[in-house]
C-alpha cells in the first residue's frame, strides 16, 4: 500500500506540495488530475527520488517502507516505477542495455543470479510486441531521436519489462496519437493485477475511457482537493478546475 | 624564450652523444645525428613560457633525461611489465606484431607481401626539417634504431599491423622512431601501442609519408604506468587524393604529450582525426593537433573528446590552418569534454587560421558534467548510481571508439577503458 501523509515539498524555496495525503492499495488505479503547475510532476518525482526537492514534512511509505529515505535505485528495487512526463534521451546507452542492467541490479539485490541472455531476449521481444514497438527500437540509444509519442510508448515498454508493483505514470498520454493511446492503454490494462497499483497523472478524460480508474483525484494548491470515481473526470472535462480552486472545507 | 635551466648542459649532452656514436650500428648517419644534436642544443627543451608548452612542464622529463645521459652502461634488461591493454590488444589484433623496445626493433615478425622493412639508418634525416621541434631533434640525435616500414605501390589492405612501442626496463629512456611510407595507391592499417613502466621516459617520433591515392588507417594507443612519461610527435604528409584516419586514444600517465601534425599537401587529400583522452587522477595528458590544409579541396574532420577525473588534467589544443592555396577546403573540429569531479582540469583551445576565402570551416568546444537528468533516469529504473555513471561515461567514450573502424581493436579498447573506469574508484565519486 502507498501511503502518503501530509506531504510537504518545496522547490527552490517555494512550497509546492502543502500537506498532500493519498492512499493507494495494490490492484487499484488512481488518476490524478489538476491544473498546470499544481505539483503533479513534483509528487511523482519526489516519490521516485529525484534530487532538488526538499521534503519539509510528512511521510510516504510503500508496503510500510519509508520511500523518502531510499536512493532512487532502491525505490526501483522496492517496486516503484516512474513513467516520465519528459523522458530523457541517453545516446550511446541502448534500450536493452539499460533494461538488462536494471533487471540484473534488482536481481542481485534480491540475491538472484543474473538473467540469462536468451531469457532476456525473449522477454524484451515479447514486451516489444505487446507495445507494438519495432525491434529496431531495442538497440537504439534510450529515447535517442525518438518522437514524442515513441518516447511515451518506450516508457510503457520499460514498465512492461521491469514489472514494478507501483507505477507512477506522469502524463503518459500526452503526445500520443489515437492509435498509440489505445496501444499504451491496452499495455497498461494487461499489466493490471491484484499486486500492482497505478497512479496516472493526466489532463484528459480520454485516457480514462480506456483505462478505467478506481479513483480520480484533483490536485490543486498543493493538496488533493477532491476525490471521486471516474465520473469526476467527466465532470471536470465539462466544468474545468475553477470551481475547485477554493480550498476544500 | 627557452627555459635553459631545463636542458641538461651542452657539455654533458655532447659527451653522451659521443659515447652513443661508439655504439651506433654501421652505416648510421652520424652527420644527421650530430646536426640534430646541435639544433637541439641551440634551443633546448621548451619551457612553459612557450605557448605550445604552457600547460605542460618538462622539468621532470629533463631530470630523467639528465640522469639517463649519465648512466654509462646499458640498462639492465629487465623488461617492464606490459599493462593490461597490451595483452588484450595483442590477442585482439590478429596480424603481425613489431616490437620496438626502447626504440630498438626486435627481429622476427613475418610481414605480409607488399610490406617491407627498410634499413633503420635511412630514418635520418627525418622527413621534417631539423629545427621544427626541439623534441624531434632530441629524438634524431639519440635514436640508434627504429622501424622504417614501406608499403609497395597499390598494395591492397593487409589486415592490421600492430606496432608495440615499449620499454626495456622500468626506468629506461627511449627515443623510438617510426616511419611509414605508403607508395601511391597503397593501403595500410596500423595500431601503434605505446606502453611504459613505472619510471620510463620515451620521446617518440612517428613520420608518415602517404603518397598519392594511398589510404592509411592509424590508431595510436597509449597506456603508461602511473609514473611513465611519454612525449610523441606524429607527423603525416598526405599527397594528392590520399586519405587517412588517425585515432589517438590516451589512457594517461604522469606525463603524456601527443602532437599530431597533418599536412594535407596534395589536392583532394583528406583526413579524419579523432582523439580520446582519459585523465584519471594523477595523470597529465596534453594533446596538440596541428592540421595544415595546403592542397586544394582538402578536407578534415576532427573530433576530440576527453574524460577527466578529479586530480587529473587534460589539455587539448586543436589548430587548423588553411593556407592561401587551399581553395575549396573543408574543415570541421569538435571537442567535447566531460569533467567528473570538482578537481578535474581541462584546458582546451581550438584555433582557426584561414588564409583563403573559398573555404568551409567550423569548430566548437563544450565542457560539461554528467547529465543529472540522465543519471536520475537510469537510477529510477534500478541501475545503481556508480553503474549509471559508468554507463554514461562509457557511452561518451564509445561514440569516439566507434570511429576507429577496426572492430577487434575497438572491442579490446572498449573493454579496457571500461575496466579502467571501473578500477578508478574516483570515477564513481
Ligand atoms: N526547479 C524548479 N525551480 C523553481 N520552480 C520549480 C522547479 N521545478 C518545479 N517548479 C515549480 O513547481 C510547480 C509545480 O510544478 P510541477 O511540474 O509539479 O507541475 P505539474 O502539476 O506537473 O504541471 P503540468 O500539468 O504543467 O505538468 C510549478 O509552479 C513549477 O514552476
Ligand atoms: Mg507535470
Amino acid at each position: 500500500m502507498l501511503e502518503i501523509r501530509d506531504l510537504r515539498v518545496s522547490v527552490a524555496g517555494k512550497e509546492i506540495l502543502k500537506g498532500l495525503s493519498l492512499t493507494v492499495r495494490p490492484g487499484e488505479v488512481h488518476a490524478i488530475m489538476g491544473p498546470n503547475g499544481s505539483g503533479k510532476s513534483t509528487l511523482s518525482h519526489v516519490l521516485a527520488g529525484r534530487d532538488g526537492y526538499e521534503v519539509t514534512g510528512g511521510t510516504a511509505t510503500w508496503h510500510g517502507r519509508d520511500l523518502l529515505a531510499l536512493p532512487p535505485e532502491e525505490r526501483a528495487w522496492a517496486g516503484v516505477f516512474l513513467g516520465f512526463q519528459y523522458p530523457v534521451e541517453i545516446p550511446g546507452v541502448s534500450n536493452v542495455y539499460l533494461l538488462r542492467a536494471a533487471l540484473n541490479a534488482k536481481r542481485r539485490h534480491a540475491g538472484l543470479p543474473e538473467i540469462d541472455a536468451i531469457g532476456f531476449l525473449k522477454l524484451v521481444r515479447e514486451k516489444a510486441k505487446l507495445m507494438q514497438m519495432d525491434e529496431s527500437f531495442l538497440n537504439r540509444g534510450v529515447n535517442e531521436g525518438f518522437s514524442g509519442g515513441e518516447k511515451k510508448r518506450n516508457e510503457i515498454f520499460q514498465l512492461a519489462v521491469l514489472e514494478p508493483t507501483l507505477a507512477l505514470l506522469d502524463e503518459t498520454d500526452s503526445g500520443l496519437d489515437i492509435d498509440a493511446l489505445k496501444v499504451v492503454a491496452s499495455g497498461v490494462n494487461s499489466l493490471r493485477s491484484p499486486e500492482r497499483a497505478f497512479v496516472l497523472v493526466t489532463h484528459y478524460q480520454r485516457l480514462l475511457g480506456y483505462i478505467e480508474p478506481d479513483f480520480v483525484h484533483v490536485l490543486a494548491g498543493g493538496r488533493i482537493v477532491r476525490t471521486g470515481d471516474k465520473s469526476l473526470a467527466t465532470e471536470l472535462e465539462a466544468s474545468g478546475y475553477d470551481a475547485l480552486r477554493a480550498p476544500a472545507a | 624564450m627557452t627555459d635553459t635551466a631545463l636542458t641538461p648542459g651542452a657539455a654533458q649532452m655532447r659527451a653522451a652523444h659521443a659515447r652513443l656514436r661508439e655504439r651506433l650500428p654501421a652505416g648510421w648517419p652520424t652527420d644527421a645525428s650530430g646536426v640534430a644534436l646541435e639544433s637541439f642544443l641551440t634551443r633546448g627543451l621548451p619551457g612553459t613560457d612557450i605557448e605550445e608548452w604552457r600547460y605542460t612542464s618538462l622539468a621532470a622529463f629533463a631530470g630523467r633525461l639528465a640522469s639517463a645521459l649519465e648512466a654509462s652502461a646499458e640498462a639492465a634488461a629487465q623488461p617492464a611489465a606490459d599493462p593490461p591493454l597490451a595483452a588484450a590488444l595483442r590477442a585482439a589484433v590478429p596480424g603481425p606484431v613489431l616490437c620496438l623496445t626502447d626504440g630498438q626493433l626486435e627481429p622476427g615478425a613475418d610481414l605480409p607481401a607488399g610490406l617491407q622493412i627498410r634499413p633503420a639508418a635511412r630514418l635520418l634525416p627525418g622527413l621534417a626539417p631539423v629545427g621544427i621541434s626541439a623534441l624531434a631533434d632530441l629524438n634524431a640525435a639519440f635514436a640508434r634504431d627504429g622501424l622504417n616500414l614501406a608499403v609497395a605501390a597499390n598494395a591492397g589492405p593487409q589486415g592490421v599491423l600492430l606496432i608495440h612501442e615499449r620499454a626495456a626496463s622500468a626506468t629506461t629512456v627511449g627515443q623510438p622512431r617510426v616511419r611509414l611510407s605508403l607508395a601511391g595507391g597503397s593501403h595500410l592499417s596500423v595500431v601503434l601501442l605505446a606502453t611504459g613502466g613505472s619510471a620510463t621516459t620515451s620521446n617518440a617520433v612517428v613520420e608518415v609519408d602517404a603518397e598519392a591515392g594511398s589510404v592509411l588507417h592509424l590508431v595510436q594507443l597509449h597506456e603508461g604506468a602511473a609514473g611513465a612519461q611519454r612525449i610523441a610527435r606524429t607527423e603525416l604528409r598526405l599527397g594528392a587524393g590520399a586519405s587517412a584516419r588517425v585515432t589517438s586514444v590516451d589512457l594517461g600517465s604522469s606525463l603524456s604529450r601527443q602532437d599530431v601534425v597533418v599536412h594535407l599537401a596534395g589536392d583532394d587529400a583528406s583526413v579524419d582525426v579523432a582523439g580520446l583522452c582519459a585523465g584519471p587522477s594523477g595523470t597529465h595528458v596534453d594533446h596538440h593537433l596541428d592540421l595544415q590544409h595546403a592542397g586544394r579541396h582538402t578536407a578534415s574532420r576532427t573530433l576530440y573528446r576527453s574524460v577527466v577525473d578529479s586530480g587529473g588534467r587534460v589539455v587539448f589544443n586543436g589548430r587548423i590552418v588553411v593556407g592561401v592555396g587551399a581553395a575549396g577546403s573543408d574543415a570541421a573540429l569538435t571537442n567535447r569534454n566531460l569533467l567528473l569531479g570538482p578537481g578535474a582540469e581541462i584546458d582546451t583551445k581550438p584555433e582557426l587560421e584561414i588564409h583563403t576565402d573559398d573555404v568551409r570551416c567550423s569548430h566548437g568546444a563544450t565542457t560539461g558534467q554528467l547529465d543529472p537528468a540522465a543519471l536520475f533516469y537510469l537510477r529510477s529504473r534500478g541501475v545503481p548510481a556508480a553503474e549509471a555513471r559508468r554507463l554514461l561515461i562509457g557511452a561518451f567514450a564509445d561514440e569516439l571508439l566507434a570511429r576507429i573502424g577496426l572492430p577487434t581493436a575497438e572491442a579490446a579498447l572498449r573493454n579496457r577503458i571500461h575496466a579502467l573506469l571501473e578500477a578508478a574508484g574516483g570515477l564513481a565519486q
Side-chain angles (χ1 to χ4, degrees):
Chain A
M1 186 159 79
L2 173 67
E3 215 163 349
I4 304 172
R5 289 240 178 95
D6 206 21
L7 187 63
R8 291 176 178 273
V9 173
S10 295
V11 180
K14 183 176 143 206
E15 188 165 65
I16 307 294
L17 299 183
K18 303 171 181 174
L20 182 143
S21 297
L22 178 68
T23 300
V24 178
R25 288 174 201 84
E28 292 177 349
V29 174
H30 289 237
I32 297 184
M33 305 182 79
N36 293 133
S38 58
K40 304 180 298 297
S41 293
T42 301
L43 175 64
S44 322
H45 286 153
V46 166
L47 293 176
R50 186 175 198 142
D51 276 347
Y53 297 91
E54 194 194 349
V55 177
T56 56
T59 56
T61 59
W62 173 237
H63 292 312
R65 285 188 77 181
D66 178 7
L67 279 182
L68 303 179
L70 300 177
E73 54 270 38
E74 290 187 34
R75 299 186 199 197
W77 303 338
V80 178
F81 178 93
L82 169 61
F84 286 68
Q85 183 175 358
Y86 303 110
V88 185
E89 297 198 17
I90 312 182
V93 177
S94 74
N95 247 337
V96 281
Y97 199 105
L98 160 62
L99 288 170
R100 193 168 36 220
L103 276 177
N104 282 334
K106 185 175 177 180
R107 291 174 68 98
R108 274 197 306 273
H109 180 72
L112 296 168
E114 297 209 335
I115 188 165
D116 70 284
I118 294 165
F120 175 71
L121 205 65
K122 204 168 149 253
L123 175 71
V124 292
R125 287 217 171 119
E126 177 194 315
K127 302 298 185 181
K129 205 165 157 199
L130 172 75
M131 294 312 297
Q132 296 180 21
M133 236 170 84
D134 192 279
E135 281 187 22
S136 66
F137 283 93
L138 301 180
N139 289 308
R140 276 169 68 177
V142 175
N143 296 320
E144 186 182 4
F146 287 25
S147 76
E150 287 164 353
K151 284 179 185 168
K152 295 302 181 66
R153 199 186 283 227
N154 194 31
E155 294 292 282
I156 304 305
F157 163 67
Q158 294 182 26
L159 165 77
V161 172
L162 297 174
E163 301 188 317
T165 47
L166 174 61
L168 312 163
L169 304 183
D170 192 357
E171 294 200 30
T172 301
D173 54 334
S174 301
L176 289 179
D177 67 38
I178 297 160
D179 294 338
L181 182 69
K182 285 183 189 163
V183 171
V184 162
S186 75
V188 168
N189 284 330
S190 74
L191 293 164
R192 286 181 78 160
S193 80
E195 307 80 48
R196 189 168 291 134
F198 286 87
V199 176
L200 312 175
V201 171
T202 182
H203 285 296
Y204 307 107
Q205 193 270 333
R206 205 181 54 183
L207 174 73
L208 306 179
Y210 294 110
I211 307 172
E212 205 170 299
D214 299 299
F215 298 93
V216 174
H217 309 275
V218 177
L219 171 50
R223 277 191 278 180
I224 302 291
V225 293
R226 212 171 139 191
T227 293
D229 62 13
K230 62 179 176 167
S231 66
L232 176 56
T234 322
E235 183 190 326
L236 290 168
E237 192 91 356
S239 63
Y241 294 113
D242 276 352
L244 296 165
R245 294 244 185 214
Chain B
M1 244 185 63
T2 298
D3 189 349
T4 43
L6 271 183
T7 305
Q12 188 196 358
M13 296 218 42
R14 286 203 181 91
H17 194 252
R19 284 199 299 278
L20 175 80
R21 277 180 185 225
E22 288 160 19
R23 303 199 313 263
L24 284 174
W28 193 261
T30 46
D31 295 357
S33 169
V35 167
L37 176 70
E38 291 308 318
S39 170
F40 175 75
L41 289 176
T42 53
R43 303 199 305 165
L45 289 171
T48 50
D49 52 341
I50 291 181
E51 185 58 28
E52 293 94 84
W53 291 90
R54 192 170 149 198
Y55 298 109
T56 299
S57 163
L58 289 174
F61 175 85
R64 286 197 194 165
L65 183 64
S67 34
L69 293 175
E70 279 312 295
S72 49
E74 294 275 298
Q78 197 186 55
D82 282 339
L85 180 62
L89 270 172
R90 291 178 73 144
V93 178
V97 183
L98 292 167
C99 282
L100 278 173
T101 307
D102 280 350
Q104 302 273 97
L105 181 65
E106 292 180 18
D110 276 334
L111 294 181
L115 294 189
Q116 186 209 344
I117 293 181
R118 291 182 174 158
R122 300 226 298 263
L123 287 169
L124 292 185
L127 296 179
V130 161
I132 295 275
S133 146
L135 287 141
D137 288 345
L138 178 68
N139 173 290
F142 287 92
R144 52 198 171 93
D145 194 15
L147 171 63
N148 190 359
L149 185 76
V151 191
N154 301 314
Q158 311 278 344
V160 181
L161 179 72
L162 178 62
I163 301 173
H164 186 182
E165 175 200 314
R166 60 184 183 183
S169 86
T171 54
T172 47
V173 174
Q175 308 283 352
R177 198 167 178 97
V178 173
R179 182 183 298 170
L180 307 173
S181 306
L182 285 77
S186 64
H187 288 246
L188 179 66
S189 292
V190 169
V191 174
L192 174 68
L193 168 68
T195 60
S198 60
T200 55
T201 301
S202 135
N203 173 40
V205 169
V206 177
E207 299 179 315
V208 176
D209 184 14
E211 289 180 4
S214 59
V215 178
L216 171 72
H217 208 133
L218 173 64
V219 181
Q220 312 191 93
L221 309 173
H222 173 235
E223 183 180 22
Q229 298 179 349
R230 179 171 188 261
I231 294 174
R233 180 183 171 88
T234 301
E235 188 155 1
L236 296 86
R237 190 192 165 280
L238 304 189
S243 69
R245 177 177 280 250
V246 182
T247 311
S248 308
V249 178
D250 199 332
L251 302 183
S253 65
S254 65
L255 168 65
S256 176
R257 164 72 179 235
Q258 170 76 61
D259 283 58
V260 172
V261 184
V262 184
H263 302 275
L264 295 168
D267 294 349
D268 302 300
S270 66
V271 69
D272 192 321
V273 197
L276 177 65
C277 299
S281 182
T283 58
H284 182 107
V285 179
D286 177 354
H287 281 222
H288 271 57
L289 172 68
D290 184 359
L291 238 167
Q292 302 276 343
H293 285 257
R296 287 170 303 163
H297 309 292
T298 47
S300 66
R301 286 283 168 279
T302 304
L303 177 64
Y304 267 76
R305 288 196 170 182
S306 58
V307 183
V308 198
D309 198 5
S310 279
R313 184 170 199 181
V314 169
V315 180
F316 173 65
N317 192 100
R319 180 161 170 257
I320 299 176
V321 181
V322 181
V324 258
S329 289
D330 187 350
L333 179 152
T334 54
N335 170 225
R336 281 183 63 197
N337 307 295
L338 190 53
L339 300 178
L340 298 178
E345 254 191 279
I346 171 88
D347 295 289
T348 173
K349 189 165 94 175
E351 288 178 72
L352 277 182
E353 231 179 80
I354 299 173
H355 302 289
T356 178
D357 291 337
D358 177 19
V359 54
R360 278 199 300 167
C361 260
S362 68
H363 68 108
T366 57
T367 296
Q369 287 152 7
L370 288 177
D371 176 11
L375 266 178
F376 173 64
Y377 190 90
L378 294 174
R379 294 178 71 188
S380 78
R381 296 299 180 247
V383 181
E387 190 180 349
R389 284 196 188 91
R390 258 190 335 261
L391 270 181
L392 294 178
I393 297 164
F396 181 82
D398 283 350
E399 275 186 77
L400 199 128
L401 296 181
R403 293 164 57 104
I404 290 183
L406 302 173
T408 45
E410 207 176 294
L413 204 55
R414 181 179 301 118
N415 290 341
R416 181 64 199 129
I417 288 176
H418 288 202
L420 196 75
L421 295 175
E422 220 150 310
L427 290 178
Q429 281 187 40

